């Protein structure tokens, strides 16, 4: 039975301290609140603790101190009614040697809202052949997991680097599918370092760096506070908060001073700026 | 919304686990019982002009049961060596108790049922083979030992078999606990720990008994087997253990160890982190 109360925050992390060893801490007093009806993009450099944060939410690792509440429950208890509302797709997936449909049939009864028709439809859209999983490529097996995760209709869907191992058409298809599966009861958290894969998919950004939450902001807020512009030269971008040059020109990020129009957000530029000017960006997005 | 009751959930877990692992289990079983058949069968072939190899019969049973059982129990949670497999197992919407019940059934009930059934089959076949080709010697002196020339399958109520089953239950539970405690080389590490534990207990007993019973007051004489005489100032003191003490300690201690190992396994599984 599912007991999740209809609170605003689906996930709450309060003063979380965590480290894989006593000497090497990863998080210190991490605070985070995530709401339903949003798709979060969890960004960070390698080793920033993205996967660990997802594991903390799933109850796969336990904090040294602090409190975690996911759908009103302590994930470390791993109660069945909690787990049937959570689906976690790790970066590296494992599949047994069995038929794709049997695999789905084995999992379906454990998830009360599992939609078999949707599962078949997603397999079709992702072009997964209905064969034995051992005959499929790694990317196809990962797509099977993605289809299973979405079709399970859980309220919390955690995806760790979901586009790793997918070919270019599959990444596009993945974005399309993910965009269609969000609903008002669902919260999706996608951890990635391939920011371009999540463009147009996420509506809130979480940036982790050195065990610290640098940013937790919606795209609207980012667009409201920052402007992303292209400049002819590096000199012209000198006044920017952050700028970087590429083959296409120099791209800079400026803080808005008034009611300027909203523009497009370059998530990669925003990420790099947040890492380069951590304190400034933290202050900018923590102020109301 | 369909809600699974516990019975349904466990049966689904069992079905899922079996479907995913049956090929491996059948393959391992085939290899395992083939080895037993080969060793036992080879000794039968060597005994066609000799007495029935009762020692080999009991040894293949004991070693097969204990080695096979502990290896199987220690490797049951081998999935924890692969993070993706471990995540799949831990996040399956089933309670910790049900996951533990699954491993209990496989390592303590199903293994033993399959082992006894197949071993009995091999035993019966090889005894039949032996009895078919070996005749009781005509020499009257050897006829006295005619029972030695007859292959009889092991009886499950035989005390040697029961003791082996008893040891199996304890060792496989310890191996299961070890499998949950160590991610890599669980079997070897568990065996080493059991040996260290055994040596430690003996050393502890030695020290403790030396403390309570100084060497000059050690048990001796006609009371050696069932009583202790402690020399004290002014005369002899007789310490006699009550009659129920031996059977009580014989069963109670293993029961406590067994329950502790499975309780420990429950908490190990509950607190498992990836």
């Amino acid at each position: 039975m599912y007991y999740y109360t209809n609170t605003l925050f689906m996930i709450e992390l309060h003063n979380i301290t965590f480290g894989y060893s006593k000497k090497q801490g990863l998080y210190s007093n991490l605070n985070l609140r995530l709401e339903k009806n949003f798709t979060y993009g969890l960004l960070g450099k390698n080793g920033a603790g993205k996967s660990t944060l997802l594991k903390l939410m799933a109850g796969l690792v336990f904090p040294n101190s602090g409190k975690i509440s996911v759908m009103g429950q302590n994930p470390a208890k791993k109660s069945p009614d909690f787990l049937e509302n959570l689906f976690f797709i790790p970066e590296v997936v494992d599949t047994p040697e069995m038929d794709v449909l049997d695999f789905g049939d084995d999992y379906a009864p454990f998830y009360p809202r599992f939609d078999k028709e949707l599962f078949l439809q997603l397999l079709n859209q992702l072009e997964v052949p209905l064969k034995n999983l051992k005959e499929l490529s790694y990317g196809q097996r990962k797509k099977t997991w993605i289809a299973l995760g979405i079709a399970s209709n859980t309220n919390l869907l955690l995806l760790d680097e979901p586009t790793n191992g997918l070919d270019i058409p599959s990444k596009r298809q993945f974005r399309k599918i993910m965009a269609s599966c969000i609903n008002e009861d669902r919260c999706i958290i996608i951890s990635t370092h391939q920011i371009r894969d999540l463009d147009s998919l996420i509506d809130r950004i979480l940036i982790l760096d050195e065990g610290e939450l640098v940013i937790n902001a919606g795209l609207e807020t980012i667009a409201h506070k920052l402007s992303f512009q292209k400049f002819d030269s590096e000199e012209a971008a000198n006044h920017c908060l952050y700028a970087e040059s590429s083959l296409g020109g120099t791209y800079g990020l400026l803080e808005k001073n008034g009611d300027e129009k909203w523009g497009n957000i370059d998530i990669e530029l925003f990420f790099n700026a947040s890492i380069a000017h951590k304190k400034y960006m933290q202050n900018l997005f923590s102020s109301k | 919304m369909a809600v699974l009751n516990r019975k349904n959930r466990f049966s689904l877990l069992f079905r899922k686990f079996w479907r995913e692992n049956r090929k491996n289990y059948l393959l391992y079983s085939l290899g395992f019982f083939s080895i037993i058949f080969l060793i036992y069968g080879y000794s039968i072939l060597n005994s066609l002009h000799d007495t029935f190899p009762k020692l080999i019969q009991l040894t293949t049973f004991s070693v097969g049961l204990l080695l096979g059982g502990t290896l199987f129990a220690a490797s049951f949670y081998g999935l924890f060596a692969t993070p993706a497999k471990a995540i799949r197992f831990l996040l399956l919407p089933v309670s910790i108790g049900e996951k533990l019940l699954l491993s209990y059934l496989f390592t303590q009930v199903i293994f033993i049922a399959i082992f006894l059934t197949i071993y009995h089959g091999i035993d019966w076949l090889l005894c039949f083979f032996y009895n078919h080709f070996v005749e009781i010697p005509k020499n009257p002196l050897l006829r006295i030992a005619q029972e030695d020339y007859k292959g009889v399958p092991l009886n499950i109520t035989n005390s040697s078999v029961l003791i082996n089953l008893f040891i199996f239950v304890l060792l496989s539970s310890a191996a299961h606990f070890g499998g949950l405690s160590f991610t890599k080389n669980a079997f070897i590490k568990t065996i080493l720990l059991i040996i260290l534990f055994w040596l430690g207990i003996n050393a502890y007993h030695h020290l403790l008994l030396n403390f309570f019973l100084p060497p000059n007051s050690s048990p001796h004489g006609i009371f050696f087997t069932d009583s202790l005489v402690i020399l004290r100032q002014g005369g002899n003191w007789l310490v006699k253990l009550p009659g129920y003490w031996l059977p009580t300690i014989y069963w109670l201690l293993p029961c406590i160890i067994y329950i502790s190992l499975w309780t420990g396994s429950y908490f190990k599984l509950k607190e498992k982190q990836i």
Side-chain angles (χ1 to χ4, degrees), chain A residues 1 18 20 55 58 60-62 76 78 80 83-84 86 88 90 92-98 102-103 105-107 109-113 134 145, chain B residues 1-4 9 12-13 15-16 19-20 23 82-96 98-99 269-274:
Chain A
M1 193 62 204
F18 176 82
Y20 283 103
K55 286 180 181 177
L60 290 168
V61 289
F62 311 146
K78 294 191 201 76
L83 294 174
E84 65 189 25
L86 174 145
F88 179 75
V92 179
V93 295
D94 168 74
T95 47
E97 289 184 8
M98 56 163 57
D102 288 341
F103 181 59
D105 286 342
D106 272 0
Y107 269 88
F110 292 103
Y111 296 94
R113 289 192 296 266
K134 73 176 177 187
W145 266 107
Chain B
M1 184 192 298
V3 177
L4 286 174
R9 210 164 53 198
L12 286 167
L13 173 70
R15 191 188 73 164
K16 182 180 173 301
R19 275 161 68 123
E20 285 181 10
K23 275 185 190 168
T82 314
K85 277 188 180 150
I87 290 171
R88 198 153 63 84
F89 181 73
L90 287 176
L91 293 187
L92 194 72
V94 176
S95 71
I96 301 293
E98 286 159 339
K99 284 170 186 164
L269 192 57
K270 197 175 178 207
E271 286 156 20
K272 197 77 189 167
Q273 298 188 64
I274 304 300

Coordinates of all heavy atoms in Angstrom, one line a residue, chain A residues 1 18 20 55 58 60-62 76 78 80 83-84 86 88 90 92-98 102-103 105-107 109-113 134 145, chain B residues 1-4 9 12-13 15-16 19-20 23 82-96 98-99 269-274:
Chain A
M1 N 0.9 -1.2 0.0 CA 0.0 0.0 0.0 C 0.9 1.2 0.0 O 1.9 1.3 0.6 CB -0.9 0.0 1.3 CG -2.0 1.0 1.3 SD -3.2 0.7 0.0 CE -3.9 2.3 -0.2
F18 N 28.0 12.8 4.6 CA 28.2 11.5 4.1 C 29.6 11.4 3.6 O 30.2 12.3 3.0 CB 27.2 11.1 3.0 CG 27.5 9.8 2.4 CD1 27.0 8.6 3.0 CD2 28.2 9.7 1.2 CE1 27.3 7.4 2.4 CE2 28.5 8.4 0.7 CZ 28.0 7.3 1.3
Y20 N 32.4 7.9 2.0 CA 32.6 6.5 1.9 C 33.6 6.0 3.0 O 33.6 4.8 3.3 CB 33.0 6.1 0.5 CG 31.8 6.2 -0.5 CD1 31.7 7.2 -1.3 CD2 30.9 5.1 -0.5 CE1 30.6 7.2 -2.2 CE2 29.8 5.2 -1.3 CZ 29.7 6.2 -2.2 OH 28.6 6.2 -3.1
K55 N 21.9 7.5 -4.9 CA 21.8 6.4 -4.0 C 21.3 6.7 -2.6 O 20.6 5.9 -2.0 CB 23.3 5.8 -3.9 CG 23.7 5.0 -5.1 CD 25.1 4.5 -5.0 CE 25.6 3.7 -6.2 NZ 27.0 3.3 -6.0
A58 N 17.7 6.7 -2.8 CA 17.1 5.4 -3.0 C 17.3 4.5 -1.8 O 16.8 3.4 -1.8 CB 17.7 4.7 -4.2
L60 N 20.3 3.3 -0.9 CA 21.4 2.3 -1.2 C 22.6 2.7 -0.4 O 23.5 1.8 -0.2 CB 21.7 2.3 -2.7 CG 20.6 1.7 -3.6 CD1 20.9 2.0 -5.0 CD2 20.5 0.2 -3.4
V61 N 22.7 3.9 0.1 CA 23.8 4.2 1.0 C 23.1 5.1 2.1 O 22.0 5.7 1.9 CB 24.9 5.0 0.4 CG1 25.8 4.2 -0.5 CG2 24.5 6.3 -0.3
F62 N 23.7 5.1 3.3 CA 23.0 5.8 4.4 C 23.9 6.9 4.9 O 25.2 6.8 4.9 CB 22.9 4.8 5.6 CG 22.2 3.5 5.3 CD1 22.6 2.3 6.0 CD2 21.3 3.4 4.3 CE1 22.0 1.1 5.7 CE2 20.7 2.2 4.0 CZ 21.1 1.0 4.7
A76 N 16.3 4.4 3.8 CA 17.2 3.3 4.3 C 16.4 2.1 4.8 O 16.9 1.0 4.8 CB 18.0 3.9 5.5
K78 N 13.9 0.8 3.2 CA 13.6 0.0 2.0 C 12.3 -0.8 2.2 O 12.2 -2.0 1.9 CB 14.7 -0.9 1.7 CG 16.0 -0.2 1.2 CD 16.9 -1.2 0.6 CE 18.3 -0.7 0.6 NZ 19.0 -0.8 2.0
P80 N 8.6 -2.2 1.3 CA 8.1 -2.5 -0.1 C 7.2 -1.4 -0.6 O 7.2 -1.1 -1.8 CB 7.3 -3.8 0.2 CG 7.9 -4.4 1.4 CD 8.4 -3.3 2.2
L83 N 9.5 1.2 -2.0 CA 10.2 0.7 -3.2 C 9.3 0.6 -4.4 O 9.8 0.8 -5.5 CB 10.9 -0.6 -2.9 CG 12.0 -0.6 -1.9 CD1 12.6 -1.9 -1.6 CD2 13.2 0.3 -2.4
E84 N 8.0 0.3 -4.2 CA 7.1 0.1 -5.4 C 6.8 1.5 -6.0 O 6.1 1.6 -7.0 CB 5.9 -0.7 -5.0 CG 5.0 -0.1 -4.1 CD 3.9 -1.1 -3.6 OE1 4.1 -2.3 -3.7 OE2 2.8 -0.6 -3.2
L86 N 9.4 3.8 -6.4 CA 10.7 4.3 -6.8 C 11.3 3.4 -7.8 O 11.2 2.2 -7.7 CB 11.6 4.4 -5.5 CG 13.0 4.8 -5.7 CD1 13.5 5.6 -4.5 CD2 13.9 3.6 -5.9
F88 N 14.9 3.1 -9.9 CA 16.3 3.6 -10.1 C 17.0 2.9 -11.2 O 17.1 1.7 -11.2 CB 17.1 3.4 -8.7 CG 18.5 3.9 -8.8 CD1 18.8 5.2 -8.7 CD2 19.5 3.0 -8.8 CE1 20.1 5.7 -8.7 CE2 20.9 3.4 -8.8 CZ 21.1 4.8 -8.7
P90 N 20.5 2.5 -12.7 CA 21.9 2.9 -12.5 C 22.7 3.2 -13.8 O 22.1 2.8 -14.9 CB 22.5 1.7 -11.8 CG 21.6 0.6 -12.2 CD 20.3 1.1 -12.5
V92 N 25.4 1.7 -14.9 CA 25.7 0.4 -15.6 C 24.5 -0.5 -15.2 O 24.3 -0.7 -14.0 CB 27.0 -0.1 -15.1 CG1 27.3 -1.5 -15.7 CG2 28.2 0.9 -15.4
V93 N 23.9 -1.0 -16.2 CA 22.7 -1.9 -15.9 C 23.1 -3.3 -16.0 O 24.1 -3.7 -16.7 CB 21.5 -1.6 -16.8 CG1 21.0 -0.2 -16.6 CG2 21.9 -1.8 -18.3
D94 N 22.3 -4.2 -15.4 CA 22.5 -5.6 -15.5 C 21.2 -6.2 -15.8 O 20.1 -5.9 -15.3 CB 23.0 -6.1 -14.1 CG 22.9 -7.6 -14.0 OD1 23.8 -8.3 -14.6 OD2 22.0 -8.2 -13.4
T95 N 21.2 -7.2 -16.8 CA 20.0 -7.8 -17.1 C 20.2 -9.4 -17.1 O 21.3 -9.8 -17.5 CB 19.5 -7.4 -18.6 OG1 20.7 -7.5 -19.4 CG2 19.0 -6.1 -18.6
P96 N 19.2 -10.1 -16.7 CA 19.4 -11.6 -16.7 C 19.3 -12.1 -18.1 O 18.8 -11.4 -19.0 CB 18.2 -12.0 -15.8 CG 17.2 -11.0 -15.9 CD 17.9 -9.7 -16.2
E97 N 19.6 -13.3 -18.3 CA 19.5 -14.0 -19.6 C 18.1 -14.5 -19.8 O 17.8 -15.6 -19.5 CB 20.5 -15.1 -19.7 CG 22.0 -14.6 -19.8 CD 22.9 -15.8 -20.0 OE1 22.5 -16.9 -20.3 OE2 24.2 -15.5 -20.0
M98 N 17.2 -13.6 -20.2 CA 15.9 -14.0 -20.5 C 15.3 -13.1 -21.6 O 15.8 -12.1 -21.9 CB 15.0 -14.0 -19.2 CG 15.0 -12.7 -18.5 SD 13.6 -12.6 -17.3 CE 14.0 -14.0 -16.3
D102 N 9.6 -11.5 -21.0 CA 9.6 -12.2 -19.7 C 10.2 -11.3 -18.6 O 9.7 -11.4 -17.4 CB 10.4 -13.5 -19.8 CG 9.7 -14.6 -20.6 OD1 8.4 -14.4 -20.8 OD2 10.3 -15.5 -21.1
F103 N 11.2 -10.6 -19.0 CA 11.8 -9.7 -18.0 C 10.8 -8.7 -17.5 O 10.7 -8.4 -16.3 CB 13.0 -9.0 -18.8 CG 13.8 -8.0 -18.0 CD1 14.4 -8.4 -16.8 CD2 13.9 -6.7 -18.4 CE1 15.2 -7.5 -16.1 CE2 14.6 -5.8 -17.6 CZ 15.3 -6.2 -16.5
D105 N 7.6 -9.1 -17.6 CA 6.5 -9.8 -16.9 C 7.0 -10.1 -15.4 O 6.1 -10.1 -14.5 CB 6.2 -11.1 -17.6 CG 5.3 -10.8 -18.8 OD1 4.8 -9.7 -18.9 OD2 5.2 -11.7 -19.7
D106 N 8.3 -10.3 -15.3 CA 8.8 -10.6 -13.9 C 8.7 -9.4 -13.0 O 8.6 -9.6 -11.8 CB 10.2 -11.2 -14.0 CG 10.3 -12.7 -14.2 OD1 9.2 -13.3 -14.3 OD2 11.4 -13.2 -14.3
Y107 N 9.0 -8.3 -13.6 CA 9.0 -7.0 -12.8 C 7.6 -6.4 -12.6 O 7.3 -5.8 -11.5 CB 9.9 -6.0 -13.4 CG 11.3 -6.1 -12.9 CD1 12.2 -7.0 -13.6 CD2 11.7 -5.4 -11.8 CE1 13.5 -7.1 -13.1 CE2 13.0 -5.5 -11.4 CZ 13.9 -6.4 -12.0 OH 15.2 -6.5 -11.5
P109 N 4.5 -7.2 -11.7 CA 3.6 -7.4 -10.6 C 4.1 -6.6 -9.3 O 3.3 -6.4 -8.4 CB 3.7 -8.9 -10.3 CG 4.2 -9.5 -11.5 CD 5.1 -8.5 -12.1
F110 N 5.4 -6.3 -9.3 CA 5.9 -5.6 -8.1 C 5.6 -4.1 -8.1 O 5.7 -3.5 -7.1 CB 7.5 -5.8 -8.1 CG 7.9 -7.2 -7.8 CD1 8.4 -8.0 -8.8 CD2 7.8 -7.7 -6.5 CE1 8.8 -9.3 -8.5 CE2 8.2 -9.0 -6.2 CZ 8.7 -9.8 -7.3
Y111 N 5.2 -3.6 -9.3 CA 4.9 -2.2 -9.4 C 3.4 -2.1 -9.7 O 2.9 -2.4 -10.8 CB 5.7 -1.5 -10.5 CG 7.2 -1.6 -10.1 CD1 8.0 -2.6 -10.6 CD2 7.7 -0.6 -9.3 CE1 9.3 -2.7 -10.2 CE2 9.1 -0.7 -8.9 CZ 9.9 -1.7 -9.4 OH 11.2 -1.8 -9.0
P112 N 2.6 -1.6 -8.7 CA 1.1 -1.6 -8.8 C 0.6 -0.8 -10.0 O -0.4 -1.2 -10.6 CB 0.6 -1.0 -7.5 CG 1.8 -1.0 -6.6 CD 3.0 -1.1 -7.4
R113 N 1.3 0.2 -10.5 CA 0.8 1.0 -11.6 C 1.5 0.6 -12.9 O 1.5 1.4 -13.9 CB 0.9 2.5 -11.3 CG 0.0 2.9 -10.2 CD -0.1 4.4 -10.1 NE 1.2 5.0 -9.7 CZ 1.6 5.3 -8.5 NH1 0.7 5.1 -7.5 NH2 2.7 5.7 -8.2
K134 N 20.3 -11.5 -23.7 CA 21.7 -11.8 -23.9 C 22.1 -11.5 -25.3 O 23.3 -11.4 -25.6 CB 22.1 -13.2 -23.4 CG 21.6 -14.3 -24.3 CD 22.1 -15.7 -23.8 CE 21.5 -16.8 -24.7 NZ 21.8 -18.1 -24.2
W145 N 15.7 -1.2 -19.8 CA 15.6 -0.7 -18.5 C 14.8 0.6 -18.4 O 14.0 0.8 -17.5 CB 17.0 -0.5 -17.8 CG 17.4 -1.7 -17.1 CD1 18.4 -2.6 -17.4 CD2 16.9 -2.2 -15.8 NE1 18.5 -3.6 -16.5 CE2 17.6 -3.4 -15.5 CE3 15.9 -1.7 -14.9 CZ2 17.4 -4.1 -14.3 CZ3 15.7 -2.4 -13.8 CH2 16.4 -3.6 -13.5
Chain B
M1 N -6.0 0.2 -7.7 CA -4.5 -0.2 -7.7 C -4.4 -1.6 -7.1 O -4.9 -1.8 -6.0 CB -3.8 0.8 -6.9 CG -2.3 0.6 -6.8 SD -1.5 1.7 -5.6 CE -2.0 3.3 -6.2
A2 N -3.7 -2.4 -7.8 CA -3.5 -3.8 -7.2 C -2.5 -3.8 -6.1 O -1.4 -3.2 -6.3 CB -3.1 -4.7 -8.3
V3 N -2.8 -4.3 -5.0 CA -1.8 -4.4 -3.9 C -1.5 -5.8 -3.7 O -2.3 -6.7 -3.5 CB -2.4 -3.7 -2.6 CG1 -1.4 -3.8 -1.5 CG2 -2.8 -2.3 -2.9
L4 N -0.2 -6.1 -3.6 CA 0.3 -7.5 -3.5 C 0.3 -7.8 -2.0 O 0.7 -7.0 -1.2 CB 1.7 -7.6 -4.0 CG 1.9 -7.6 -5.5 CD1 3.4 -7.6 -5.7 CD2 1.3 -8.8 -6.1
R9 N 3.6 -11.8 -3.0 CA 4.9 -11.1 -3.2 C 6.1 -12.0 -3.1 O 7.0 -12.0 -3.9 CB 5.1 -9.9 -2.2 CG 5.8 -8.8 -2.7 CD 5.6 -7.5 -1.9 NE 5.9 -7.8 -0.5 CZ 5.5 -7.0 0.5 NH1 4.8 -5.9 0.2 NH2 5.8 -7.3 1.7
L12 N 6.1 -14.4 -6.1 CA 6.6 -13.7 -7.3 C 8.1 -13.5 -7.2 O 8.8 -13.7 -8.2 CB 6.0 -12.3 -7.4 CG 4.5 -12.3 -7.8 CD1 4.0 -10.9 -7.6 CD2 4.4 -12.6 -9.3
L13 N 8.6 -13.3 -6.0 CA 10.1 -13.1 -5.8 C 10.8 -14.5 -6.1 O 11.8 -14.5 -6.8 CB 10.4 -12.7 -4.4 CG 11.8 -12.6 -4.0 CD1 12.6 -11.5 -4.7 CD2 12.0 -12.4 -2.5
R15 N 9.6 -16.9 -7.9 CA 9.5 -17.2 -9.3 C 10.5 -16.5 -10.1 O 11.2 -17.0 -11.0 CB 8.1 -16.9 -9.8 CG 7.8 -17.4 -11.2 CD 6.5 -16.9 -11.8 NE 6.6 -15.5 -12.1 CZ 5.7 -14.9 -12.9 NH1 4.7 -15.5 -13.4 NH2 5.9 -13.6 -13.2
K16 N 10.7 -15.2 -9.8 CA 11.6 -14.3 -10.5 C 13.0 -14.8 -10.3 O 13.8 -14.9 -11.3 CB 11.4 -12.9 -10.0 CG 12.3 -11.9 -10.7 CD 12.1 -10.5 -10.1 CE 13.0 -9.5 -10.6 NZ 14.4 -9.8 -10.4
R19 N 13.6 -18.1 -12.2 CA 13.7 -17.9 -13.7 C 15.0 -17.3 -14.1 O 15.6 -17.6 -15.1 CB 12.5 -17.0 -14.1 CG 11.3 -17.8 -14.4 CD 10.1 -17.0 -14.4 NE 10.0 -16.0 -15.5 CZ 9.0 -16.0 -16.4 NH1 8.0 -16.8 -16.3 NH2 9.0 -15.1 -17.3
E20 N 15.5 -16.4 -13.2 CA 16.8 -15.8 -13.6 C 18.0 -16.7 -13.3 O 19.0 -16.5 -14.0 CB 17.0 -14.5 -12.7 CG 16.1 -13.4 -13.2 CD 16.3 -12.1 -12.4 OE1 17.2 -12.0 -11.6 OE2 15.4 -11.2 -12.6
K23 N 19.2 -21.7 -14.9 CA 20.2 -22.3 -15.8 C 21.5 -22.5 -15.1 O 22.2 -23.5 -15.2 CB 20.4 -21.3 -17.0 CG 19.4 -21.6 -18.1 CD 19.7 -20.7 -19.3 CE 18.5 -20.8 -20.3 NZ 18.7 -19.8 -21.4
T82 N 28.7 -7.3 -7.9 CA 28.3 -6.5 -9.1 C 27.3 -5.4 -8.7 O 26.2 -5.8 -8.4 CB 27.7 -7.4 -10.2 OG1 28.5 -8.6 -10.3 CG2 27.6 -6.7 -11.6
P83 N 27.7 -4.2 -8.7 CA 26.8 -3.1 -8.1 C 25.4 -3.1 -8.8 O 24.4 -3.0 -8.2 CB 27.6 -1.8 -8.4 CG 29.0 -2.2 -8.4 CD 29.1 -3.6 -8.9
A84 N 25.4 -3.3 -10.2 CA 24.2 -3.2 -10.9 C 23.2 -4.3 -10.4 O 22.0 -4.1 -10.3 CB 24.4 -3.3 -12.4
K85 N 23.8 -5.5 -10.2 CA 23.0 -6.6 -9.7 C 22.5 -6.4 -8.3 O 21.3 -6.7 -8.0 CB 23.8 -7.9 -9.7 CG 23.9 -8.6 -11.1 CD 24.5 -10.0 -10.9 CE 24.6 -10.6 -12.3 NZ 25.6 -11.5 -12.5
A86 N 23.4 -5.8 -7.5 CA 23.0 -5.6 -6.1 C 21.9 -4.5 -6.0 O 21.0 -4.7 -5.3 CB 24.3 -5.0 -5.4
I87 N 22.0 -3.5 -6.9 CA 20.9 -2.5 -6.9 C 19.6 -3.1 -7.3 O 18.6 -2.8 -6.7 CB 21.3 -1.3 -7.8 CG1 22.5 -0.5 -7.2 CG2 20.2 -0.4 -8.1 CD1 23.2 0.5 -8.1
R88 N 19.7 -3.9 -8.3 CA 18.5 -4.6 -8.8 C 17.8 -5.4 -7.7 O 16.6 -5.4 -7.5 CB 18.9 -5.5 -10.0 CG 17.7 -5.9 -10.9 CD 18.2 -6.2 -12.3 NE 19.2 -7.3 -12.4 CZ 18.8 -8.6 -12.5 NH1 17.6 -8.9 -12.5 NH2 19.8 -9.5 -12.6
F89 N 18.6 -6.1 -6.9 CA 18.1 -7.0 -5.9 C 17.6 -6.1 -4.7 O 16.5 -6.4 -4.2 CB 19.2 -7.9 -5.4 CG 18.8 -8.8 -4.3 CD1 18.0 -9.9 -4.6 CD2 19.2 -8.7 -3.0 CE1 17.6 -10.8 -3.6 CE2 18.8 -9.5 -2.0 CZ 18.0 -10.6 -2.3
L90 N 18.4 -5.1 -4.3 CA 18.0 -4.4 -3.1 C 16.8 -3.5 -3.3 O 16.0 -3.3 -2.4 CB 19.2 -3.5 -2.6 CG 20.3 -4.3 -1.9 CD1 21.5 -3.3 -1.6 CD2 19.9 -5.0 -0.7
L91 N 16.6 -3.0 -4.5 CA 15.5 -2.1 -4.8 C 14.2 -2.8 -5.3 O 13.2 -2.1 -5.6 CB 15.9 -1.0 -5.8 CG 17.0 0.0 -5.2 CD1 17.2 1.1 -6.2 CD2 16.6 0.6 -3.9
L92 N 14.3 -4.1 -5.3 CA 13.0 -4.8 -5.7 C 12.0 -4.6 -4.6 O 12.4 -4.8 -3.4 CB 13.4 -6.3 -5.9 CG 12.3 -7.1 -6.6 CD1 12.2 -6.7 -8.1 CD2 12.5 -8.6 -6.5
P93 N 10.8 -4.2 -4.9 CA 9.8 -3.9 -3.8 C 9.4 -5.2 -3.1 O 8.2 -5.7 -3.2 CB 8.6 -3.3 -4.6 CG 9.2 -2.9 -5.9 CD 10.3 -3.9 -6.2
V94 N 10.3 -5.7 -2.3 CA 10.0 -6.8 -1.4 C 10.7 -6.6 -0.1 O 11.7 -5.9 0.0 CB 10.6 -8.1 -2.1 CG1 10.5 -9.3 -1.2 CG2 10.0 -8.4 -3.4
S95 N 10.1 -7.0 1.0 CA 10.7 -6.7 2.3 C 12.0 -7.5 2.5 O 12.3 -8.5 1.9 CB 9.7 -7.1 3.4 OG 9.6 -8.5 3.5
I96 N 12.8 -7.0 3.5 CA 14.1 -7.6 3.8 C 13.8 -9.0 4.3 O 14.5 -10.0 3.9 CB 14.8 -6.8 4.9 CG1 15.1 -5.4 4.4 CG2 16.1 -7.5 5.3 CD1 16.0 -5.2 3.3
E98 N 11.4 -11.1 3.4 CA 11.1 -11.9 2.3 C 12.4 -12.3 1.5 O 12.5 -13.4 1.0 CB 10.1 -11.3 1.4 CG 8.7 -11.3 2.1 CD 7.7 -10.3 1.5 OE1 8.2 -9.2 0.9 OE2 6.5 -10.4 1.7
K99 N 13.3 -11.3 1.4 CA 14.5 -11.6 0.7 C 15.4 -12.6 1.4 O 16.0 -13.4 0.9 CB 15.3 -10.3 0.5 CG 14.7 -9.4 -0.6 CD 15.3 -8.0 -0.7 CE 14.6 -7.2 -1.7 NZ 14.8 -5.7 -1.6
L269 N 21.7 -7.7 5.8 CA 21.0 -7.5 4.6 C 20.3 -6.1 4.6 O 20.2 -5.4 3.7 CB 20.0 -8.6 4.3 CG 19.3 -8.7 2.9 CD1 20.3 -8.7 1.8 CD2 18.4 -9.8 2.8
K270 N 19.7 -5.8 5.8 CA 19.0 -4.6 6.0 C 19.9 -3.4 5.9 O 19.5 -2.3 5.4 CB 18.4 -4.6 7.4 CG 17.3 -3.6 7.6 CD 16.6 -3.8 8.9 CE 15.6 -2.7 9.1 NZ 15.3 -2.3 10.4
E271 N 21.1 -3.6 6.3 CA 22.1 -2.4 6.4 C 23.0 -2.5 5.2 O 24.1 -1.8 5.2 CB 22.8 -2.4 7.7 CG 22.0 -1.9 8.8 CD 22.4 -2.4 10.2 OE1 23.6 -2.8 10.3 OE2 21.6 -2.4 11.1
K272 N 22.7 -3.3 4.2 CA 23.6 -3.4 3.1 C 23.7 -2.1 2.3 O 22.6 -1.5 2.0 CB 23.1 -4.5 2.2 CG 24.2 -5.0 1.2 CD 25.2 -5.9 1.9 CE 26.3 -6.2 0.9 NZ 27.5 -6.8 1.6
Q273 N 24.9 -1.6 2.0 CA 25.0 -0.4 1.2 C 25.8 -0.8 -0.1 O 26.7 -1.6 0.0 CB 25.8 0.7 2.0 CG 25.0 1.1 3.2 CD 25.6 2.3 3.9 OE1 25.7 3.4 3.4 NE2 26.1 2.1 5.1
I274 N 25.6 0.0 -1.1 CA 26.3 -0.3 -2.4 C 27.2 0.9 -2.7 O 26.8 2.0 -2.9 CB 25.2 -0.4 -3.5 CG1 24.2 -1.5 -3.2 CG2 25.9 -0.7 -4.8 CD1 24.8 -2.9 -3.0

